[in-house]
Amino acid sequence: MYFSEAYEIEAGSEDDWFDPILEEDTQLFVDPFLVYAEDDGRWADCDDLLSGHFEKGFMLLAGHHHNPESIQYRKTVEMMVFPEPSEIGLGYVGSGSKGSGTGRGFARRIVGAMVLAIEAGLADLHRFEELGLLVEKIGRDRISDISCNLLKGRLISHTQEICERHDIELQQFKVKNSFFDQQRLRWVAEEVDLPANPSTGAPVILVPKRFLRELPTLNSSDWWDYVEPGFRDDVNWDTNRKLSKKDIVDLARRHPDLVRDWSETRGGDEPRPYDVDRDPEGLHDWQAQARKAASADPIDGPVSQLSFEEVLELVNDKFRHFVEDRGGWELLWNEDTSSPKRETSIQLLYRGVVEAYCEASEVFVDREVNLGRGPVDFVFTGGRSRSLLEIKKFKNGRFWDGLEHQLISYLESERCDSGWFLAVRLSDSKTEERRHAALASRTNALRKSTGFDLHSLAVDARRPKSASNLGHGDEASAPDVDPEQFE
């Protein structure tokens, strides 16, 4: 359920806030660069609010950065504790809205990055996102969490104003990091009035849509694009080598001057927020689209008489029918680039469609559950029965590994007998054609050799020939862009 549905809000011209899904975080992030662009109103001085916090910590630490026992070092660590702001409903989490945030251990890592910056010769910390190039595990979720903590007081006032406009009842909640005491240099939890999430009873804080992106403007991938031409002539660097985040961090630490050049150059770029209303990646609208699909094609007859496996076969076929026969394939393609969306977008749409049907069958589905050997895409539960499901594009380089190793390892670790492998076809390439043709036989062979009750389902999401003049064989040869590769 969306926040607007829970409180029966009809958005007006003043409503520029992001409408969160109340049961699960949306994979968008607050980009501080977009906040810096504000030049009037409530957000006009947030440049100082965000960067100023880190600048104060940076200056407090300087001269004491080799002494972790000093009061200055320990105070800086306290300043850098940023809990995951679950009230906001954003982030990269598999299920629900419990992300990692930045606890005391990670605060020490941030301070360690500051030490590196000081030793590298940086006299100040112009943009705190620069730390993301000096610490391997500061990615978009961490930058967003940090930004939301620092902005939380303003965001609370923003939410209260929206609720007053729409006559939404508020409740009192104790909110972590709602205020930073500049005198004592510590975070304070305050009692504040906020709307409640009807699903969880927890508070909700609303953010402006124009602050959201998939990746921060200042990210490690972009820094590498900026500096890579200059490394082509470096005899000590192989530019054909596939880079990891660790590689980029190592290079940034050796070239802090280029980190500063890059952040100052990006400061003159035009802000480019994610288009939430059009939602080109299907990260937010998937729930609404899934509801429409389920209501337009209801299950015939009483589902209570079906077995657990029959329910899974039925709901998976409903998803296939929606994509292939009722235009659902359009939701798996980007309008602006005519290229397929990534697997995350397919998973979200699948979850929404299948969840709508499973609810009536008393079968429950959880997305990206972390099992003993990693996160399986979906777990279905009905009574004492369980089944695991993996989704892969036919063009995925690890397609057969997903079926024959990944899914099997999950079934073994969970002692679960039933598994599904859902494969989505998006082009006419020979690779996809061969895999499509072999899927059923390889699934059958695997069923016999492992003893697991395995099922596979191919879903054809190719664009109809009349929908595009593109050569689909060419589309299939292009690699997927994975925004998590530099996390």
Side-chain angles (χ1 to χ4, degrees):
M1 181 180 292
Y2 296 93
F3 179 83
S4 60
E5 293 176 320
Y7 285 99
E8 300 180 345
I9 294 172
E10 284 205 23
S13 58
E14 294 179 293
D15 291 302
D16 62 345
W17 45 273
F18 176 73
D19 190 9
I21 298 173
L22 295 177
E23 298 86 359
E24 180 171 335
D25 285 356
T26 299
Q27 293 178 26
L28 291 171
F29 306 86
V30 170
D31 179 4
F33 183 86
L34 299 176
V35 183
Y36 301 147
E38 298 287 310
D39 55 12
D40 59 14
R42 175 182 280 118
W43 316 102
D45 62 344
C46 286
D47 189 339
D48 293 336
L49 183 66
L50 293 171
S51 293
H53 184 87
F54 281 85
E55 186 67 17
K56 178 172 284 191
F58 193 86
M59 300 309 293
L60 178 66
L61 184 66
H64 306 275
H65 53 285
H66 289 306
N67 183 11
E69 299 304 317
S70 69
I71 185 66
Q72 292 86 352
Y73 195 106
R74 288 187 282 116
K75 275 293 183 183
T76 307
V77 171
E78 285 184 32
M79 290 178 67
M80 299 303 143
V81 176
F82 302 105
E84 189 268 331
S86 57
E87 309 93 350
I88 290 172
L90 300 169
Y92 189 74
V93 296
S95 180
S97 55
K98 294 291 183 183
S100 55
T102 50
R104 188 165 293 275
F106 204 83
R108 293 191 184 97
R109 189 184 292 266
I110 293 174
V111 174
M114 289 181 170
V115 171
L116 287 169
I118 292 169
E119 292 176 342
L122 291 180
D124 55 23
L125 198 61
H126 183 59
R127 291 282 183 258
F128 77 84
E129 303 99 295
E130 293 174 351
L131 293 176
L133 289 175
L134 302 174
V135 179
E136 191 173 338
K137 293 186 178 179
I138 295 185
R140 55 184 179 165
D141 53 342
R142 303 285 191 176
I143 289 173
S144 181
D145 286 351
I146 291 168
S147 302
C148 290
N149 274 272
L150 293 170
L151 294 170
K152 196 174 284 185
R154 306 279 178 100
L155 292 171
I156 288 170
S157 299
H158 172 68
T159 302
Q160 291 169 339
E161 182 181 290
I162 293 166
C163 291
E164 182 179 359
R165 186 163 66 243
H166 291 284
D167 196 26
I168 294 173
E169 182 181 354
L170 303 180
Q171 299 179 29
Q172 196 167 73
F173 295 95
K174 190 170 186 177
V175 177
K176 292 180 181 179
N177 282 32
S178 56
F179 171 73
F180 184 74
D181 187 330
Q182 297 287 349
Q183 297 298 319
R184 298 183 181 181
L185 296 180
R186 65 183 181 89
W187 286 102
V188 178
E190 292 184 307
E191 297 280 348
V192 297
D193 292 331
L194 286 169
N197 181 335
S199 300
T200 64
V204 175
I205 295 177
L206 303 172
V207 303
K209 288 187 288 189
R210 64 184 182 279
F211 291 171
L212 304 181
R213 275 175 56 98
E214 287 188 88
L215 283 174
T217 302
L218 301 183
N219 64 80
S220 54
S221 164
D222 182 76
W223 181 78
W224 174 245
D225 289 342
Y226 177 77
V227 302
E228 189 268 344
F231 285 108
R232 288 187 187 277
D233 298 328
D234 187 340
V235 294
N236 296 319
W237 182 253
D238 177 8
T239 55
N240 292 318
R241 175 181 166 193
K242 185 177 180 180
L243 285 174
S244 66
K245 177 69 180 286
K246 184 179 184 302
D247 293 325
I248 291 179
V249 166
D250 290 343
L251 282 169
R253 287 176 177 178
R254 299 206 304 263
H255 300 277
D257 55 323
L258 295 179
V259 174
R260 179 54 49 84
D261 289 346
W262 162 72
S263 66
E264 290 181 350
T265 298
R266 287 291 174 263
D269 291 350
E270 180 183 351
R272 296 184 182 277
Y274 183 79
D275 189 341
V276 174
D277 294 330
R278 195 166 62 85
D279 193 19
E281 286 295 336
L283 301 175
H284 181 245
D285 194 41
W286 59 270
Q287 195 174 78
Q289 295 290 349
R291 281 200 207 125
K292 290 179 186 176
S295 62
D297 184 26
I299 294 175
D300 295 326
V303 294
S304 59
Q305 298 177 9
L306 300 178
S307 68
F308 176 73
E309 283 297 337
E310 286 173 334
V311 169
L312 295 194
E313 287 184 20
L314 176 63
V315 298
N316 283 325
D317 191 63
K318 286 287 189 183
F319 179 74
R320 181 202 59 77
H321 177 61
F322 167 63
V323 172
E324 295 183 355
D325 304 321
R326 297 181 48 244
W329 62 268
E330 291 185 279
L331 301 175
L332 303 181
W333 289 81
N334 289 299
E335 292 180 12
D336 49 352
T337 63
S338 296
S339 61
K341 293 178 181 177
R342 58 182 183 268
E343 279 178 1
T344 296
S345 304
I346 298 173
Q347 291 170 359
L348 287 171
L349 183 63
Y350 173 84
R351 173 178 179 165
V353 172
V354 169
E355 225 174 27
Y357 289 115
C358 284
E359 190 174 320
S361 313
E362 295 188 357
V363 170
F364 304 96
V365 55
D366 290 314
R367 178 171 174 260
E368 285 193 359
V369 177
N370 200 13
L371 305 181
R373 300 189 184 181
V376 67
D377 286 345
F378 293 94
V379 175
F380 292 89
T381 308
R384 295 184 178 181
S385 300
R386 282 204 314 162
S387 186
L388 311 183
L389 182 141
E390 281 289 307
I391 294 178
K392 284 281 187 291
K393 291 180 179 181
F394 270 107
K395 78 170 192 173
N396 189 305
R398 300 186 62 191
F399 179 78
W400 292 121
D401 181 72
L403 171 64
E404 297 171 343
H405 297 101
Q406 192 175 358
L407 180 57
I408 297 302
S409 73
Y410 294 150
L411 292 171
E412 289 172 344
S413 66
E414 290 302 296
R415 298 181 181 178
C416 183
D417 294 329
S418 171
W420 281 78
F421 188 73
L422 192 146
V424 180
R425 186 171 181 182
L426 290 154
S427 86
D428 295 323
S429 73
K430 291 182 179 179
T431 297
E432 295 201 36
E433 185 178 353
R434 286 194 301 268
R435 289 174 177 174
H436 194 171
L439 180 61
S441 61
R442 290 181 72 155
T443 305
N444 290 335
L446 196 61
R447 183 186 301 116
K448 292 177 182 178
S449 65
T450 63
F452 290 120
D453 182 19
L454 296 176
H455 308 262
S456 60
L457 177 66
V459 177
D460 190 348
R462 288 175 292 177
R463 295 166 65 97
K465 294 297 184 182
S466 59
S468 173
N469 294 321
L470 293 172
H472 300 300
D474 294 337
E475 292 167 7
S477 64
D480 284 338
V481 176
D482 180 7
E484 274 72 69
Q485 64 179 319
F486 292 105
E487 289 300 290

